[in-house]
Amino acid sequence: MKNFDEIYEIHKTIKSNFLALEQETVAILSCDADDIEGHTLARVEYLEMNKKLYEEIFDFCKTYEKGEALEGAVKNTAMRDELPEEIQEIFDRFSQVYAIINRVVNVDKQVTERIEREQNKIIKQIKEMNTGHESKAAKFYAASDTGEQKHLGDSKRRI
């Protein structure tokens, strides 16, 4: 990376990836339970792509004379007014990215609740299938229970 134009291009890609990640996150709230995994895997892919892009920028920061300020602008941890003028534009652009990230974080709470609800439904279904007269285990046990003590061979251990 040689200049800020390349950072601007990387920023566009990062922003686009986070917007797509936001769409995947929102989709989890209303999709069929069977589709949750696909949306979750897509989210992971976008995060991995962005991780690599951020690494490129941070590698540039190590060689740039004002790299610490640049890294603060990209991470949105710096105070804008304290940044050199040429880095303030980068801060402004990455602030847009952090607005998207904030929205995703807020929706993530709802996504977690949705996944927990789906897990609880599945657990309830499993318990219902394994209890009562309809369960296969109960039918097997009733059919095999002759009232005798069960043991293995000569060891006389109970099953």
Side-chain angles (χ1 to χ4, degrees), residues 17 28 47 49 53 56 78 102 112 132 148:
N17 287 345
I28 292 173
L47 289 171
M49 287 187 281
L53 294 169
E56 284 184 44
N102 188 43
T112 301
E148 299 176 16

Side-chain angles (χ1 to χ4, degrees), residues 1-149:
M1 183 174 313
K2 299 176 181 138
N3 58 38
F4 287 178
D5 289 335
E6 291 181 43
I7 292 177
Y8 296 150
E9 288 303 312
I10 290 174
H11 162 266
K12 286 180 188 176
T13 305
I14 288 173
K15 183 178 176 183
S16 173
N17 287 345
F18 275 121
L19 286 169
L21 180 132
E22 182 180 28
Q23 290 176 341
E24 295 291 344
T25 303
V26 170
I28 292 173
L29 295 176
S30 60
C31 72
D32 188 60
D34 294 335
D35 297 332
I36 291 174
E37 182 179 12
H39 292 295
T40 302
L41 293 175
R43 283 171 34 116
V44 170
E45 287 180 31
Y46 289 120
L47 289 171
E48 289 296 322
M49 287 187 281
N50 278 353
K51 180 180 176 183
K52 291 175 185 174
L53 294 169
Y54 273 110
E55 286 173 0
E56 284 184 44
I57 293 173
F58 296 143
D59 286 345
F60 175 71
C61 289
K62 292 174 187 172
T63 62
Y64 181 61
E65 64 183 272
K66 299 176 185 174
E68 191 174 318
L70 178 59
E71 187 172 328
V74 170
K75 289 182 175 179
N76 204 30
T77 57
M79 298 297 292
R80 186 186 189 284
D81 296 339
E82 296 173 7
L83 292 171
E85 193 172 316
E86 67 270 16
I87 297 178
Q88 289 180 358
E89 174 67 22
I90 291 173
F91 178 88
D92 294 342
R93 290 178 186 221
F94 277 91
S95 290
Q96 298 168 358
V97 169
Y98 282 91
I100 299 166
I101 292 170
N102 188 43
R103 292 193 309 259
V104 170
V105 168
N106 289 334
V107 174
D108 267 349
K109 295 171 190 172
Q110 296 171 19
V111 166
T112 301
E113 291 171 0
R114 163 88 196 280
I115 291 171
E116 287 173 356
R117 280 193 312 272
E118 293 298 331
Q119 286 175 331
N120 289 336
K121 280 184 196 176
I122 292 169
I123 290 170
K124 184 179 177 183
Q125 288 173 344
I126 291 170
K127 286 180 179 179
E128 287 173 357
M129 289 173 37
N130 287 332
T131 58
H133 299 291
E134 295 298 318
S135 77
K136 290 182 180 181
K139 287 180 183 178
F140 173 78
Y141 182 75
S144 65
D145 188 16
T146 60
E148 299 176 16
Q149 287 188 345

